[in-house]
Amino acid sequence: MKNVKICGTMYKKGDNTLNEHDEIDDILNEIKGKSEVEPTDDNDLTNTDEDNTADIIDTTDIEDIKNAIDSGDDGTASMPSDDEILSEIMGIIDGDNSEITQNVEIEHDFEEETEENLVSENNEGYLSFIEEPEKKINKPAIIAIAVAVVVIIAVAVTAVVKMTQKEPETTTAPTTTTTTTAAPVIYKNPLTGEEDYNKEADGKRPVAIVVENAYAARPQWGIDDEKNAPDIIVEGEVEGGESRMLWLFADYTSLPSQIGPIRSARPPYVNFSQLFDAIFLHWGMSYSKGDYVGANTVFKNNNIDHINQMAYSDNVNLFSRDKSRGVSSEHTGIIHGENVAAAIEGASFRTEANEKSYTKFAFNENEKAVGETLCNTLALTFSSNTRTRDWTYNAEDKTYHSSDYSSNNGSSDVSRKNLLVLFDTTTYVSVYNYHGSGKTETYCNYGLTGGTGKLASLGTVIDINWTVENGVIKITDANGNEVNLNAGKTWIGYASSNHNGVVNIG
């Protein structure tokens, strides 16, 4: 006799318990009830791996979703989009749906097998009264869907709350971009302090040219040149009560077309030129004899770069004579300014300046009065043996003017921004029968030892002191402070401090 096992309870064929109608409902209820109870036999066909409520969505999955959302402790993590949230949830549900489907199919198979068993038994006369059991409702799937819906709602609410929360404000300092433009290089004339200087001449040596001041030599060619007048004019005593000049040009590529009359060199002028590291140009020179040390010895002993017309081959047409005035030949020698650079190049002289031996006066950035004492006129007598040089201040162009360089050959108006008077000790040296002429020649030498002086500019004047230190001139006031000149051209009156040199201020 066959036995029937229904929901874990064994029923024997012919058992009268199956014939009782009131027990059929109990059996059906038992069948329904057993499907909700965890199976005890792993090998039983009713084992569909439905643990408890068949957790489709594991609690760890919910934690993963929460962790994905709350990725930052401070709430500043970027929020996922709604599509990303739904995709995450549906991925979990879809991943477990296969399990739900598998469970439903197993249960359906179980139901079909149970029905077949019952029908088989019915063919033998047993259990024919049993109706087809109701199709089982899959409660775990419903529970899983409900849990998924709850999780979706929770995630959506959390997302909305976080999106509505005010993000902490981040203050970013404004970025400031500074564009630095290099200041343009301003080249200044080292002898005048004036701008717009030829940059090609920057750092080069100046030239010093000897020009006479005898009456027949006036007006000197180039002294009042509108474009290229001398940067500095140095004037002092020579022999016979005459004065002679030394013209300094910072840029020897920009000179007057004609300079002169050119005269011979004297030791004080040669020595003075070396305070500016200048290349010396002249026509002749004095020679040593007896106690007198002439220019020839100074050139040789000091290894001074110079060009002497009387010893120069002149293949560049540097020197010539202008006889248009009808004066004696000694007042006719000239230099052609445009050929000086070629002559210097041909002589292979050093052209880079030695800054340590180059006097460069200090200049005011903006012109101003140098003192409180007015100076409308300045008259300098170099010594008791010389004439007086007169200057008058012009308030319109703010420069001093002199007409003393005029003659019956013509007139000139020489203007200077600064007048600098330097008093120095002088000595007179007489040479008997000089050049076999039977005459005595008396030369004036300057000690170049420093002393007192005056500086006049912009209609004012101050007392100054000057010294030679390490081969350059230093100018200071009564308190030892460096004195500034105003930018412009300068005249230096080189006077005797011990032979009645005198300056009068008006």
Side-chain angles (χ1 to χ4, degrees), residues 31-42:
I31 292 173
K32 293 178 181 180
K34 287 294 184 177
S35 67
E36 297 176 3
V37 179
E38 182 178 0
T40 58
D41 187 356
D42 292 338

Side-chain angles (χ1 to χ4, degrees), residues 310-488:
M310 300 184 73
Y312 183 59
S313 61
D314 204 3
N315 55 2
V316 297
N317 190 31
L318 179 61
F319 298 95
S320 68
R321 292 186 181 275
D322 185 338
K323 300 180 179 181
S324 62
R325 293 178 176 177
V327 295
S328 58
S329 62
E330 66 266 26
H331 306 304
T332 61
I334 63 171
I335 283 178
H336 298 285
E338 65 271 17
N339 297 329
V340 170
I344 291 174
E345 182 179 0
S348 300
F349 294 146
R350 171 179 57 86
T351 58
E352 296 296 323
N354 181 351
E355 298 296 330
K356 295 181 179 180
S357 302
Y358 195 159
T359 295
K360 295 181 180 178
F361 298 123
F363 295 95
N364 295 315
E365 287 295 327
N366 298 302
E367 63 180 25
K368 62 181 180 180
V370 296
E372 298 180 356
T373 303
L374 294 179
C375 180
N376 292 315
T377 61
L378 184 147
L380 177 64
T381 303
F382 302 100
S383 75
S384 56
N385 298 320
T386 67
R387 300 179 181 90
T388 300
R389 187 69 61 240
D390 293 308
W391 297 89
T392 302
Y393 181 67
N394 185 329
E396 292 184 3
D397 64 7
K398 299 180 180 180
T399 63
Y400 289 90
H401 293 256
S402 177
S403 60
D404 286 358
Y405 303 97
S406 301
S407 71
N408 58 1
N409 295 320
S411 62
S412 66
D413 180 18
V414 179
S415 63
R416 301 277 107 176
K417 175 67 75 171
N418 305 293
L419 304 179
L420 181 61
V421 176
L422 304 179
F423 287 101
D424 195 8
T425 57
T426 59
T427 57
Y428 295 103
V429 179
S430 296
V431 178
Y432 300 100
N433 194 27
Y434 187 66
H435 289 313
S437 61
K439 298 180 181 179
T440 300
E441 193 74 70
T442 301
Y443 295 96
C444 179
N445 283 336
Y446 287 80
L448 208 61
T449 56
T452 61
K454 300 279 187 181
L455 171 62
S457 187
L458 288 184
T460 61
V461 65
I462 58 170
D463 293 326
I464 59 97
N465 296 305
W466 71 280
T467 58
V468 175
E469 299 177 10
N470 300 317
V472 296
I473 299 173
K474 297 292 185 181
I475 301 175
T476 58
D477 61 16
N479 297 319
N481 300 314
E482 185 178 39
V483 172
N484 290 355
L485 282 64
N486 286 309

Side-chain angles (χ1 to χ4, degrees), residues 264-282:
S264 59
R266 298 291 184 267
Y269 295 89
V270 176
N271 292 330
F272 202 94
S273 73
Q274 295 313 289
L275 299 178
F276 296 85
D277 192 33
I279 298 171
F280 201 90
L281 281 67
H282 59 108

Side-chain angles (χ1 to χ4, degrees), residues 3-48:
N3 297 328
V4 178
K5 184 177 182 181
I6 301 174
C7 293
T9 303
M10 297 297 296
Y11 295 91
K12 291 191 291 183
K13 186 177 181 180
D15 193 338
N16 57 5
T17 59
L18 295 176
N19 295 323
E20 297 296 326
H21 184 273
D22 58 355
E23 289 182 348
I24 293 175
D25 291 335
D26 294 336
I27 294 171
L28 294 175
N29 289 334
E30 185 177 1
I31 292 173
K32 293 178 181 180
K34 287 294 184 177
S35 67
E36 297 176 3
V37 179
E38 182 178 0
T40 58
D41 187 356
D42 292 338
N43 295 320
D44 190 78
L45 290 175
T46 62
N47 182 14
T48 60

